[in-house]
Amino acid sequence: MFSRAVRPTVSLVRGLSTTSQNNAKVAVLGASGGIGQPLSLLLKNSPLVSQLSLYDIAHTPGVAADLSHIETRAHVTGHIGPDQLGAALQGCDVVVIPAGVPRKPGMTRDDLFNTNATIVATLADACARNCPEAMICVIANPVNSTIPITSEVMKKHGVYNPNRVFGVTTLDIVRANTFVAELKGLDPARVNVPVIGGHAGKTIIPLISQCTPKVEFPADQLSALTGRIQEAGTEVVKAKAGAGSATLSMAYAGARFTFSVLDAMNGKEGVVECAFVRSEETECKYFSTPLLLGKNGIEKNLGLGKLSAFEEQLVADATGELKASIKKGEDFVANMK
């Protein structure tokens, strides 16, 4: 078993400052699901979280009871069903939304649209009513559409702040870091590959040319690596053979992003994460780029940086699909009853 002497080092996420104490209330909407449970466990482990509010349409009291026995400071509450959604969100500083149905073999993220669009719109509406100032971190796919949906719902309530609504694309960065490290024999914790664009297929654009430390690949290997990063989610869906999609790695990535948001809110300087946000950086209304985070969300959009010719072509190839997914999300809210 664990030695009591080493137990406090529970930081699982790189760059997490475990010394700073923050009194943040964090809600997880979809906390009983495949992503929600491990994500909630990672958040319960963090000294940055003082209150952890778990919401889902089933099983939340059990998940909350289970997590509440862990010897860390976060106080856990469980909320179940639409009648308890408002209470789950009251006073929240950060809301993380992994709710929705997962992909099965043969499905694209866009195939999830009809079910997940309604779920995300409902949850965004509750956020607008109960915690309009909170940082909203959306994991629910298709992110390329669920972020426009979230934004349009917040606009309807007159509380939209583009600096506080994030599509969590962190898993693309985590995967890129891991795959590059494997190929080059590096420690993945020390590799950083910016990934821009969107969060589906060819809209996922890893900027290998901007990797730190600097790495180079022959053209054929670069093309294969890029393709693997873009289709890594499908790799997991196939390997799970109908039993779900990426849940554990997504929970890790979701926790990493949440911790970065909390660190920045807590005054830590130089916190940079990529996320899918409202953007003026390209002709797409929403686009993922590296963002400098601060106490009020996005402090500065760091843009695309210098792209290689290969990466410029990837951006050009992604633009049409990205614009269509964004419009699909906006149209969904416009046509809501």
Side-chain angles (χ1 to χ4, degrees):
M1 287 300 290
F2 295 114
S3 150
R4 296 290 298 182
V6 300
R7 184 186 56 77
T9 57
V10 292
S11 163
L12 302 180
V13 176
R14 54 201 223 157
L16 169 60
S17 115
T18 52
T19 51
S20 59
Q21 293 284 310
N22 194 4
N23 291 316
K25 181 175 181 182
V26 179
V28 179
L29 307 184
S32 301
I35 297 166
Q37 289 201 41
L39 172 60
S40 299
L41 173 61
L42 292 171
L43 295 174
K44 173 70 173 113
N45 251 354
S46 172
L48 297 171
V49 179
S50 60
Q51 288 179 271
L52 185 59
S53 177
L54 308 181
Y55 172 81
D56 213 320
I57 55 171
H59 310 305
T60 346
V63 175
D66 197 355
L67 287 176
S68 72
H69 293 182
I70 293 172
E71 54 187 351
T72 53
R73 70 190 281 257
H75 176 69
V76 184
T77 55
H79 309 266
I80 188 166
D83 293 348
Q84 296 181 20
L85 178 54
L89 291 169
Q90 286 288 326
C92 281
D93 301 294
V94 178
V95 179
V96 192
I97 307 181
V101 294
R103 281 200 292 163
K104 292 187 167 59
M107 290 176 79
T108 66
R109 289 181 179 87
D110 197 53
D111 290 335
L112 304 173
F113 183 90
N114 289 336
T115 302
N116 287 359
T118 304
I119 293 169
V120 170
T122 302
L123 298 176
D125 182 83
C127 290
R129 293 172 191 273
N130 294 284
C131 54
E133 298 285 305
M135 307 290 177
I136 312 292
C137 308
V138 180
I139 292 170
N141 274 315
V143 167
N144 293 355
S145 299
T146 56
I147 284 300
I149 287 170
T150 303
S151 302
E152 292 302 312
V153 169
M154 302 295 273
K155 283 179 194 174
K156 280 192 169 184
H157 287 275
V159 296
Y160 176 56
N161 182 340
N163 294 327
R164 291 174 180 258
V165 178
F166 304 93
V168 180
T169 62
T170 315
L171 184 51
D172 298 325
I173 292 87
V174 166
R175 286 166 167 158
N177 294 345
T178 302
F179 300 164
V180 167
E182 284 173 354
L183 289 171
K184 292 296 186 184
L186 299 167
D187 175 358
R190 299 188 181 280
V191 175
N192 185 34
V193 180
V195 181
I196 64 168
H199 183 60
K202 69 181 181 184
T203 70
I204 298 167
I205 303 164
L207 302 183
I208 308 294
S209 73
Q210 295 181 24
C211 176
T212 51
K214 188 161 178 57
V215 294
E216 290 186 354
F217 296 97
D220 57 341
Q221 197 176 18
L222 178 63
S223 181
L225 171 61
T226 300
R228 188 183 176 205
I229 293 164
Q230 290 175 331
E231 295 302 326
T234 303
E235 190 177 305
V236 177
V237 170
K238 284 181 179 172
K240 288 194 173 181
S245 57
T247 53
L248 301 172
S249 52
M250 185 60 247
Y252 168 87
R256 171 182 148 170
F257 185 79
T258 305
F259 295 151
S260 288
V261 169
L262 289 170
D263 268 338
M265 290 171 75
N266 223 22
K268 186 175 178 180
E269 296 186 353
V271 179
V272 175
E273 290 282 0
C274 296
F276 187 66
V277 297
R278 186 76 177 89
S279 176
E280 306 293 330
E281 298 299 317
T282 69
E283 58 191 86
C284 298
K285 280 191 200 174
Y286 298 83
F287 204 83
S288 182
T289 42
L291 309 168
L292 178 65
L293 301 176
K295 291 190 174 184
N296 299 303
I298 301 169
E299 199 161 282
K300 186 180 183 188
N301 192 319
L302 301 178
L304 285 71
K306 188 174 188 312
L307 305 185
S308 68
F310 175 70
E311 291 158 357
E312 284 178 351
Q313 188 58 51
L314 291 176
V315 172
D317 291 345
T319 301
E321 181 180 325
L322 203 43
K323 282 183 173 177
S325 296
I326 291 164
K327 185 175 188 305
K328 189 171 182 178
E330 291 176 334
D331 289 350
F332 178 83
V333 178
N335 295 326
M336 268 170 48
K337 295 289 182 282

